[in-house]
Amino acid sequence: MRDMLPLLVALPLGVGFLMPLLEKLREPEWLIDLLATLAALALLGMSVSLVGTANMDYWMGAWKGASGIFGIQLVCDGLTRLMLVTVHIVALAAVLFSTQYMRRYTSKGFYFCLFFLMLAGMNGVVLTGDMFNLFVFIEVASIASYSLVAFGCESEELEASFKYLILGSLASTFVLFGVGILYNLTGTLNMAQIRAQIPALADPKAPNLALYVAAGFLVMGLGLKAAMVPFHAWLPDAHPAAPAPISAMLSGVLIKALGVYALARVFFSVLGPSTEYAAVLMTLGALSMLGGVLLAVGQWDFKRLLAYHSISQMGYVVLALGVGAAVLAKGGPKPVAGLAIFGGLFHLFNHAAFKSLLFLCSGATEYATGTRQLKELGGLAHRMPLTSGCCRVASLSIAGVPPFNGFWSKLIIIVATAQAGYPWLAALAALVAFLTLVSFVKVQRYVIAGELPAPLQGVTEVPAAMQLAMALLAVVCLAAGVLAPFLMAPHIGFLDQAASALMPGLEAAKAVAVGGIAP
Amino acid sequence: MIPYFLAIVLLAVGVYAIACKRNLIKVIIGSMICEYAVNLFLILMGYRWTATGAPIRTPAMDKAAGSADVVQRAQHFANISVDALPQALILTSIVIGLGMTALLAAMAIRLHEKYGTFDVAEMRKLQG
Amino acid sequence: MRGMTLIVRTVTSLVSAFILLYGIYIVLYGHLSPGGGFAGGVILACCVILLVLAFGKKFVDGLISERAPYLWDCLGALLFLAIALAGYYGGQFFYNFLVAPESHAAPVTAANVAGNYRLFSSGIILPCNIAIGIKVAACLFGVFAVLAVFRPMKTQEGETR
């Protein structure tokens, strides 16, 4: 089981480098599709088989290098397992979708090469236990995503990718600055060893200012990867311009694995929660929530609207993590902190499911009708039944309507924020949920309901592979929503293992989540 | 402390070039300057400010490894040499920077094919 | 693209073999002196790029097919991955199984001092350097070739790792 950890990075790398070979040797298209689908299924199988196992670590090459300073360590704890399953469910859906969708673009072999390199990078980010290795895998995934955004080579896509590239490379530079300062302060790159030296450096009586400079650089860099509001300028251009399965991957997992997961790792597992970091996280989260949804309400381009909503929902997750960090730093009641972190991570999983589904639906709509503008769409419910059904499921999930999964995670976040002593932030979160509902009622009315306009009379349903991908994600949304009370039960252990990786002492929080809301 | 500050100044120059220049190639050069700044910063992290003397490795340090004064001489040699780990970090960072610059240059060529100019103001979405 | 003047062409034809040899030396001795796969691969790629710049596009028309850079790129990367996976034979991913196990803990002892600083003293690092050298050389030449020589291509593989 431990020997499988490097395979989660090696398998996508191998498949990724095999694809251009197949493409250039003129192998048939079905072979490339089959290899991609089998690889995605194998990765999903490996991630699911890791759920519920004990925490593992793995030294590459069995070499610790001067007692752990140089060696590269892979760590698999609860948060890693959650991220792995999330990434691979969305990746499987995106691969299924792109077997048909990418026929309209130029080269499917190169597309899958870049896709699997991005997947290898994301797997490396969630598996690594070493700060510089984190930076390297962030770069691998980011460079692959820059190329994928520009895949269609039209002017809109090239411009969006150029802007994304420049801002992304600046962010990576800041991350490397932060890692360099941390190395100078502690003399090691291993996350666990840095954590051991932080209490001496962050001693309140003689605080080391360089540590805060490092934290500042890391927040700026990783905040841009997570599309937090002062650093979000690249997202509304990059996500709509990318091909639809790539938009689903970018919005669904890349900003989570590279941004939110890395922020959580750095600020909980490496630097340790403190009141300043928690204040920064909460501010970023609140600004993103509000800014994202206010900018989204006025949008008439389907994918651009979804991109702005991604910013807003990531704000929810970062706000919840910030609230948990604040409660932990002040020494407040552990169940409240555990509830907040649990809500944030559950929302991360849910958002991956429903946002990817929304982007795939918008891709299916664009494939069938050729347009992304809401004002030109309408009345697709009869012609495209599966797409409209999945779009309805995803819209209800993101708006937070009861039997679907978005309701549970938003409720937990709002309640935990209120209980932690931030009632205004909880009210803000509820207001943002209402605005999200308004925005998606508009989407439903313009895309699904209403009359079919004259230019769209000939639309038909999209091919089977695309329908299968959307149905898969819709089932995940429904299942996570209906089974949510059972998922929170202690013996299932999927989500609370993730939360307990971020904070110790989660047993009381589990009891709170299952038995009622009062601590 | 001055060299660290100068690395930050170099970063600021790179950010100025990215933010304020109108020619696409100058924006690319700005991002390259930012990469140089961070590589310089990492190299400075490895420098031993308190060391004196040149690190010269003698064959006597190899033979009879295990005897006390040879071990002490080898330890002294290790103490006055620069830290080797940041150099490995910088090699990786340079490779990553090369990849990004190649991608930026390829995109600039394709954008030139679409618009006939490298001027950022002509391209619709690249404002800001 | 056209070539360059007579002086450039003459000097290139005299020097390019030495550049190639130098690049191969840097790849092979990467575990002992500065260099290694990436730096040696860059030098190898630059040698071929120099030949194309000096002699013009007709130099590569017959020698290098349009898909050769992609094939060598992928082969280099897959060879590196195969070496890493072969480490499972010694017990762990990327394990250095070509070197005696006791030398992992204490690299330099009085007993093996004579075997140090030789070409084959590093186990799997040498094959890894060669694989990375092939990959980087093919990749960088491929980037140059697609942008400057095989111009009408519409797709772009921007990944150079």
Side-chain angles (χ1 to χ4, degrees), chain A residues 132 136 139 143 147 153 155-156 158-159 161-162 165-166 169-170 174 176-177 180-181 183-184 237, chain B residues 11 18 24 27 34 38 41-42 45 83 85 89 92-93 96 100 103-104 107 110-111 114-115 125-126:
Chain A
F132 187 73
V136 168
E139 285 299 282
I143 295 183
S147 319
C153 270
S155 53
E156 180 199 353
L158 286 171
E159 292 165 15
S161 178
F162 195 89
L165 217 174
I166 293 287
S169 91
L170 202 56
F174 285 147
L176 192 54
F177 256 105
I181 297 178
Y183 173 69
N184 196 18
D237 290 321
Chain B
L11 180 70
I18 291 178
L24 218 53
V27 170
C34 287
V38 75
F41 190 76
L42 282 178
M45 289 289 159
D83 193 1
L85 184 62
L89 306 186
T92 313
S93 170
I96 293 173
M100 275 206 275
L103 189 54
L104 275 169
M107 269 197 249
R110 294 289 178 237
L111 276 171
K114 300 276 178 205
Y115 285 103
K125 287 206 196 303
L126 284 181

Side-chain angles (χ1 to χ4, degrees), chain A residues 455-486:
Chain A
L456 299 181
Q457 286 298 331
V459 301
T460 53
E461 185 59 89
V462 290
M466 296 161 78
Q467 293 186 32
L468 180 62
M470 290 192 284
L472 173 72
L473 284 176
V475 164
V476 169
C477 284
L478 261 174
V482 167
L483 297 175
F486 303 103

Side-chain angles (χ1 to χ4, degrees), chain A residues 239-320:
Chain A
H239 284 202
I246 295 302
S247 297
M249 285 292 285
L250 285 180
S251 231
V253 286
L254 195 81
I255 55 178
K256 296 185 188 58
L258 265 58
V260 177
Y261 167 85
L263 272 175
R265 267 286 177 238
V266 166
F267 285 99
F268 282 84
S269 304
V270 176
L271 293 176
S274 86
T275 42
E276 296 93 4
Y277 304 148
V280 166
L281 283 178
M282 282 197 292
T283 316
L284 284 179
L287 277 177
S288 308
M289 272 194 328
L290 198 56
V293 82
L294 286 178
L295 287 167
V297 170
Q299 292 294 328
W300 288 103
D301 182 338
F302 196 359
K303 288 175 86 170
R304 210 175 160 91
L305 183 145
L306 295 176
Y308 277 114
H309 277 293
S310 279
I311 301 177
S312 161
Q313 302 296 314
M314 283 298 102
Y316 265 102
V317 179
V318 172
L319 176 73

Side-chain angles (χ1 to χ4, degrees), chain A residues 365-383:
Chain A
T365 338
E366 191 181 355
Y367 186 88
T369 63
T371 177
R372 293 192 325 230
Q373 303 300 322
L374 288 178
K375 287 189 173 145
E376 295 168 20
L377 294 168
L380 294 173
H382 300 293
R383 297 305 186 93

Side-chain angles (χ1 to χ4, degrees), chain C residues 72-107:
Chain C
W72 285 106
D73 183 354
C74 294
L75 281 176
L78 288 173
L79 179 63
F80 184 77
L81 201 59
I83 296 173
L85 286 173
Y88 277 117
Y89 169 75
Q92 194 103 331
F93 185 74
F94 227 143
Y95 189 70
N96 198 342
F97 57 93
L98 290 173
V99 175
E102 55 272 7
S103 71
H104 278 94

Side-chain angles (χ1 to χ4, degrees), chain B residues 57 59-67 70-71, chain C residues 102-103 106-117:
Chain B
R57 195 166 189 289
M61 288 185 194
D62 261 346
K63 297 197 200 98
S67 74
V70 174
V71 169
Chain C
E102 55 272 7
S103 71
V108 177
T109 61
N112 63 5
V113 120
N116 282 327
Y117 311 121

Side-chain angles (χ1 to χ4, degrees), chain A residues 8-9 74-77 79-85 87-88 119-129 134 137-138 191 253 256-258 261-262 265:
Chain A
L8 281 166
V9 177
L74 298 179
V75 170
C76 182
D77 63 2
L79 183 59
T80 306
R81 287 189 277 272
L82 171 69
M83 292 301 305
L84 281 174
V85 174
V87 165
H88 291 122
L119 201 54
M122 282 194 278
N123 282 348
V125 166
V126 302
L127 275 172
T128 183
L134 181 73
F137 279 118
I138 286 180
M191 284 184 187
V253 286
K256 296 185 188 58
L258 265 58
Y261 167 85
R265 267 286 177 238

Side-chain angles (χ1 to χ4, degrees), chain C residues 40-106:
Chain C
V42 169
I43 294 175
L44 289 171
C46 286
C47 175
V48 188
I49 293 177
L50 172 67
L51 286 167
V52 173
L53 283 176
F55 289 100
K57 188 174 158 194
K58 60 178 168 53
F59 181 76
V60 288
D61 265 344
L63 283 176
I64 300 178
S65 73
E66 190 176 311
R67 52 187 201 184
Y70 297 103
L71 294 182
W72 285 106
D73 183 354
C74 294
L75 281 176
L78 288 173
L79 179 63
F80 184 77
L81 201 59
I83 296 173
L85 286 173
Y88 277 117
Y89 169 75
Q92 194 103 331
F93 185 74
F94 227 143
Y95 189 70
N96 198 342
F97 57 93
L98 290 173
V99 175
E102 55 272 7
S103 71
H104 278 94

